[in-house]
Amino acid sequence: MTGGNKVMLDIPVNETVTLADLTHDPYPIYKQMRAQTPVVRVAQTNRIFVTTAEHTKWIKENPEIFSSDDPMTPMKPAFQAHTLMRKDGAEHRAERMAMQPSFSPKVIRSDWAELYEKIAKEYVSLLPRGETVDLFSELCGPVAARILAHMLGLEDATDEEMQRWSQRLIDGAGNFGRDPKLFEASDAANAEMNALFEKIIPRHQSEPNNSAFSVMLRAKNPIPLSQMYANIKIAIGGGINEPRDALATIVYGLLTNPDQLEEVKRQEAWMDAFEEGIRWVAPIQVSGRRTTQEIQIGDVVVPKAETVMTIQASANRDEAIFDDGESFNVFREKHPHQSFGSGPHHCAGAQIARRTLGHIMLPLLFDRFPNMQLPNPEDVVWSGFGFRGPLNLPIYLD
Amino acid sequence: MVSITFIQPDGAAQTVQATVGDSVMQTALNNNIEGIFAECGGAMMCATCHCYIDDEWAEKTGDKSDGEDDMLDCAETEVTDASRLTCQIKVTDALDGMVVRLPSELA
Ligand code: FES
């Protein structure tokens, strides 16, 4: 067949899918892409979507070919910094490792586990009984904000501030349409955060602890202060919505599958419930990389300097790995999911998330409210392309 | 081929054939060795490929990578002088017969 090869190697284009479709419900779209066009240019976003588990993992594990440094993302204006999320190699490692000790299992055990348990108990005990409560806004968000404030050394910030800053950073970082209003909002958040950071530096110097800010400030070879600020902002942007959405997703999954919930309680399989929840709906669904050279992905050749979107949300339901990946099933055959990514940017908060949600929050919540119910699952609104989760979770607590 | 024996904390041993040039982590994954998760895929960013290499083999595995100790500090399991990240050990002919011990999970 003349030119057969060439035809096969062109990147197929999807002209129909819109960002609104993806935000509403991306999963049927990804399913179709995996089956028909696993590497495809989505015309309306002008980005190449990569949807199979094999490819998304490979891309993230090959940072020389697929760089995180993508000048096209709105992340820089949103964070007012070139952050470690968008760096590669030694520079990325130095900035990440500056903060990592405070998220290490050792420090989680010595400092955060007990504190988190105390905070979780306190927030759960504040919930009323005998009425319907939006667990998403009343529990999932605030409790994530509080523990993160401690871990970062920002106890002075309120839950409301932490959540607002997080949301504005995320909105700014996802502002692909470059709407000036969103950058104004993230600028305002940056100003508030900078003011707080400046105010608390003396305290961290005189009374150091294991929080990220303290650890960075007293490092033997400290990174520049501007990068400490950027690191903390990345942790705020990435450390509230993700555990919040994960918790809401897992609770939804369990309450809509009562048989599984019973079995989870019986086996105390909270960790499995945690892993399945974040597999089923990954809080961070998509990660962008930029090609540093022309490269073949599957059957197509992608030119240099293209943005490829690795869709871990899709990889997590890939038929090649998961049987019936579309459904929530705590007791499915175990396979690694990609919700924490892979490669150099593997989620720095993975162990914390497992501990705080799987070991502490889930058992505690279901112990306090063993008969809680989600009377109308259809009222739960799911949303998001880059980040995804329920927007509400009306639960009857008795 | 080079043979490597993985020993679980309960003493169960599994000897596998490794390919020169692969990492010990990759070898473990290829053979479904329990206890090696390698979540970051060998980028030295997760410490879920942690294991112990006894003294007699330590020399032959070569030096630790730059930054390996810092990452080992973030391991979930107990770190000792014998601790290594298996993604940072390349299989060579000199490692034929090496024993790799897996850490036990901390509560
Ligand atoms: S595989 Fe992650 S550190 Fe070795």
Side-chain angles (χ1 to χ4, degrees):
Chain A
M1 197 170 73
T2 329
N5 243 357
K6 175 82 182 77
V7 172
M8 188 180 75
L9 293 174
D10 276 344
I11 304 173
V13 180
N14 184 322
E15 304 275 2
T16 53
V17 164
T18 66
L19 205 52
D21 297 335
L22 293 162
T23 304
H24 174 66
D25 184 6
Y27 286 112
I29 300 169
Y30 295 151
K31 186 174 179 166
Q32 195 172 10
M33 285 180 178
R34 287 194 302 274
Q36 292 164 4
T37 53
V39 181
V40 61
R41 187 185 301 279
V42 175
Q44 305 230 14
T45 65
N46 192 28
R47 282 171 170 74
I48 296 167
F49 281 32
V50 179
T51 48
T52 67
E54 185 193 347
H55 291 153
T56 55
K57 186 167 156 63
W58 169 70
I59 288 172
K60 291 198 185 83
E61 290 177 5
N62 283 281
E64 304 79 22
I65 306 173
F66 301 98
S67 167
S68 288
D69 190 358
D70 183 350
M72 269 172 78
T73 78
M75 202 146 181
K76 202 166 175 172
F79 284 78
Q80 297 182 344
H82 188 35
T83 74
L84 79 167
M85 294 292 285
R86 292 279 157 221
K87 290 178 181 176
D88 297 316
E91 211 186 347
H92 164 255
R93 177 175 297 277
E95 288 176 18
R96 173 164 162 149
M97 291 310 288
M99 187 160 56
Q100 195 72 37
S102 115
F103 307 145
S104 72
K106 233 187 291 177
V107 172
I108 297 175
R109 273 190 287 268
S110 62
D111 289 50
W112 309 134
E114 202 183 322
L115 178 69
Y116 187 84
E117 188 148 359
K118 200 178 126 228
I119 292 172
K121 273 196 183 128
E122 183 187 319
Y123 280 63
V124 168
S125 71
L126 288 173
L127 295 169
R129 278 191 199 271
E131 53 185 278
T132 300
V133 170
D134 183 1
L135 219 58
F136 178 80
S137 59
E138 296 304 312
L139 180 72
C140 303
V143 84
R146 187 64 356 224
I147 181 68
L148 189 74
H150 282 275
M151 289 194 306
L152 297 180
L154 312 177
E155 299 89 318
D156 320 56
T158 65
D159 297 350
E160 192 274 326
E161 283 173 323
M162 292 290 288
Q163 292 182 86
R164 178 159 43 86
W165 295 337
S166 178
Q167 196 55 52
R168 289 188 174 181
L169 289 173
I170 288 178
D171 290 344
N175 187 12
F176 291 97
R178 308 255 158 190
D179 176 351
K181 280 219 182 57
L182 292 180
F183 287 142
E184 273 164 36
S186 55
D187 283 349
N190 273 289
E192 289 176 31
M193 286 184 279
N194 292 346
L196 172 66
F197 299 168
E198 217 171 295
K199 192 182 97 188
I200 61 179
I201 287 178
R203 185 186 77 217
H204 280 299
Q205 272 158 346
S206 59
E207 303 159 45
N209 62 5
N210 277 327
S211 69
F213 201 8
S214 258
V215 164
M216 287 192 286
L217 281 167
R218 70 165 189 272
K220 258 187 258 124
N221 301 304
I223 57 172
L225 195 61
S226 59
Q227 291 314 132
M228 294 185 199
Y229 281 25
N231 273 6
I232 295 182
K233 288 173 190 172
I234 284 292
I236 294 175
I240 297 181
N241 287 20
E242 290 71 13
R244 177 197 69 191
D245 295 350
L247 178 57
T249 296
I250 299 160
V251 171
Y252 176 97
L254 289 171
L255 292 179
T256 50
N257 293 277
D259 301 354
Q260 291 182 42
L261 174 57
E262 278 320 302
E263 196 52 26
V264 167
K265 285 181 183 168
R266 205 180 62 78
Q267 297 187 19
E268 296 190 45
W270 303 107
M271 214 39 145
D272 294 335
F274 170 81
E275 299 290 346
E276 174 61 1
I278 62 169
R279 178 206 67 82
W280 185 51
V281 180
I284 303 179
Q285 300 244 301
V286 175
S287 306
R289 295 290 188 267
R290 196 160 173 86
T291 53
T292 59
Q293 61 180 72
E294 186 182 87
I295 181 79
Q296 181 163 354
I297 308 177
D299 289 339
V300 308
V301 170
V302 174
K304 181 179 167 165
E306 286 271 4
T307 298
V308 292
M309 303 302 257
T310 67
I311 318 249
Q312 51 266 20
S314 171
N316 282 353
R317 297 187 178 196
D318 189 337
E319 295 73 11
I321 297 181
F322 299 99
D323 267 350
D324 186 24
E326 304 295 328
S327 35
F328 177 90
N329 177 5
V330 176
F331 301 100
R332 66 171 58 251
E333 202 178 293
K334 303 246 168 312
H335 295 287
H337 59 72
Q338 295 183 23
S339 296
F340 291 126
S342 192
H345 292 271
H346 174 265
C347 177
Q351 298 306 348
I352 298 229
R354 290 192 167 109
R355 285 260 151 192
T356 52
L357 293 182
H359 280 203
I360 300 172
M361 188 43 127
L362 288 172
L364 196 128
L365 182 61
F366 282 93
D367 181 58
R368 167 103 180 163
F369 298 107
N371 300 314
M372 65 174 152
Q373 278 164 24
L374 179 61
N376 303 304
E378 63 284 357
D379 288 350
V380 175
V381 181
W382 293 81
S383 177
F385 162 64
F387 301 87
R388 189 173 182 82
L391 298 182
N392 62 331
L393 196 61
I395 296 214
Y396 181 75
L397 300 172
D398 76 346
Chain B
M1 284 297 222
V2 172
S3 79
I4 294 182
T5 301
F6 291 90
I7 301 184
Q8 295 293 337
D10 67 1
Q14 206 175 334
T15 300
V16 304
Q17 298 305 310
T19 308
V20 170
D22 274 2
S23 68
V24 171
M25 173 277 275
Q26 194 56 53
T27 307
L29 287 192
N30 292 345
N31 292 282
N32 297 317
I33 300 293
E34 221 179 291
I36 299 276
F37 303 96
E39 286 195 2
C40 77
M44 206 169 73
M45 279 296 181
C46 72
T48 63
C49 64
H50 171 218
C51 70
Y52 309 113
I53 307 282
D54 291 334
D55 275 354
E56 48 174 316
W57 292 101
E59 266 166 47
K60 300 193 174 121
T61 58
D63 290 341
K64 281 187 190 152
S65 302
D66 249 6
E68 188 173 335
D69 274 323
D70 289 341
M71 198 63 235
L72 272 170
D73 261 348
C74 298
E76 179 77 36
T77 42
E78 191 192 351
V79 177
T80 72
D81 288 346
S83 288
R84 289 296 309 266
L85 295 174
T86 48
C87 66
Q88 302 304 310
I89 306 176
K90 255 211 168 55
V91 175
T92 60
D93 287 320
L95 299 188
D96 193 20
M98 179 167 73
V99 172
V100 176
R101 287 183 300 109
L102 290 133
S104 43
E105 257 179 75
L106 294 186

